[in-house]
Amino acid sequence: QCIRRLVDKEFLPLVHHARAELSKNDVKKSAKSQEGESIHRRTVRAVANAIWKRAQNKKSSMQDELHANSLYTCLCGDVDSKSIDCFGSALLVVIGMNILGFGTSCLTLSEDHAYESHINQEDGGGNHATKNCVDDLSPSKKRATCEVAIPGNTKAAQSKRGKEISCTFEQLKRDNITAEISWLYMAKNPVLCDSPGMAMAAVVSNLNCDIDKQKPGVDGGKPHVVSRPLYQMKRDMLWILHDAGNMAKFPFALIELGECEEHLSSQKGMEWVDASELLRSNGTMVLRNEKLFLDAIFVSREVYDDAQVYPYLYAGHYHKDAGRDDQSQEYRLVESLRLYAEASRVASAYRYDTKDCLQLMKHMTTVASLISRDILRLPKNCGGNGKDCRTWE
């Protein structure tokens, strides 16, 4: 009842009011001032502006670091001086657009960004509800994009929402980088959440189980405090979505489930399964936990033109953690190095800009420190002092 009240009394009126305000403004404006911009883009802008006005922390210039995608924050407004982030804003805009009848509006994800995409108006599906949304979301259809995750309630920030992603790059005047070669947008290989189950997988995968605001450094001095019940709920929900086939085209969801199993194993995750096809080796058995990472890499290669870095990084972390403290498993450290190298290979295909790929640079810096600490040096629990070089068995 509480959730229904938030939807019926808070979110739905917000979306419909945004549409009504847009209609009033369209009547006041001349046709010439609206020329070249579809009703779809104007509606995306109106809904996104309404959501950001409601849900952004009004006491600070939120920089997408301290955020809380709680149900209350998304549906009602800011809470605990925190705001929604880019994923939360994109998700809400897509939900709002579908409520308003724009049936081809789709949550679209890269490895570190979220935005809205829809069937191009020229293909006859951009401005009206569709009876068969799955068919209209076919990859063969030409899709247009809308940027919505722009923090701030200034006129400049509001005017940027609803724009094609390539236009935002032009406005930023980045001479050496475009949307087509940007890691932030996966070089035209984004993940389209083209079904309710896939969108739900995105929501569950983005659950943050950390309790501490700040994560520990690579030196391992500070313990990493997480919520065990939330980890278990996330793991079990992802298994349900996985078994229903909703993660078959979703590498990020697969590696998030793998990470849940690594830290809070279930009986299902510890089963031995055949991975011969993935490893191209007959009779190769691996834990189902490891197969999740292998599946993510396979999907990234086959569906997304090998454009994703995270599947290799997560798989590398998995083998590093297994071989770090057990000398009988040291061979897995070699595999982790190979996977980190594969991640670097994929990353090297992109053009770089400090503002465009800051998160990726953070990951690569962390990997360099982990290689030094956990692979090249002998940890204390293996007889070393944390500074001695590892002697390979």
Side-chain angles (χ1 to χ4, degrees), residues 142-155:
K142 185 178 180 181
R143 302 192 68 82
T145 61
C146 287
E147 184 67 273
V148 295
I150 299 176
N153 285 310
T154 64
K155 289 185 178 180

Side-chain angles (χ1 to χ4, degrees), residues 159-301:
S159 65
K160 293 177 182 177
R161 298 180 187 130
K163 298 281 189 180
E164 183 74 28
I165 286 172
S166 57
C167 294
T168 64
F169 274 86
E170 292 174 3
Q171 292 175 350
L172 293 172
K173 296 181 179 180
R174 294 177 179 173
D175 296 331
N176 65 328
I177 189 169
T178 63
E180 290 77 15
I181 56 175
S182 163
W183 171 75
L184 195 62
Y185 297 96
M186 280 177 58
K188 291 190 172 181
N189 288 288
V191 176
L192 298 177
C193 296
D194 55 6
S195 68
M198 200 167 177
M200 180 59 68
V203 172
V204 177
S205 298
N206 274 277
L207 284 175
N208 190 340
C209 301
D210 293 345
I211 292 177
D212 281 353
K213 182 172 66 175
Q214 300 294 334
K215 291 187 177 182
V218 293
D219 59 357
K222 180 183 177 182
H224 191 184
V225 183
V226 298
S227 170
R228 182 183 178 90
L230 189 55
Y231 245 123
Q232 183 173 349
M233 183 184 74
K234 178 178 179 178
R235 180 198 68 193
D236 294 346
M237 290 178 68
L238 285 175
W239 271 124
I240 293 173
L241 292 163
H242 175 276
D243 294 345
N246 293 308
M247 292 158 52
K249 299 185 298 180
F250 204 164
F252 179 69
L254 290 168
I255 60 180
E256 281 293 312
L257 177 53
E259 186 184 49
C260 287
E261 281 290 345
E262 182 181 357
H263 296 291
L264 189 62
S265 300
S266 67
Q267 183 177 356
K268 188 170 187 175
M270 296 303 291
E271 293 176 352
W272 290 90
V273 294
D274 187 6
S276 300
E277 183 178 354
L278 296 172
L279 296 175
R280 298 178 182 177
S281 176
N282 293 332
T284 303
M285 304 293 288
V286 300
L287 290 176
R288 193 185 299 274
N289 185 5
E290 181 179 350
K291 188 174 182 295
L292 290 169
F293 296 114
L294 295 175
D295 286 338
I297 292 173
F298 178 81
V299 172
S300 178
R301 288 174 175 172

Side-chain angles (χ1 to χ4, degrees), residues 307-323:
Q308 298 197 16
V309 178
Y310 286 178
Y312 294 106
L313 288 182
Y314 274 63
H317 295 332
Y318 173 75
H319 285 287
K320 174 191 69 67
D321 292 343

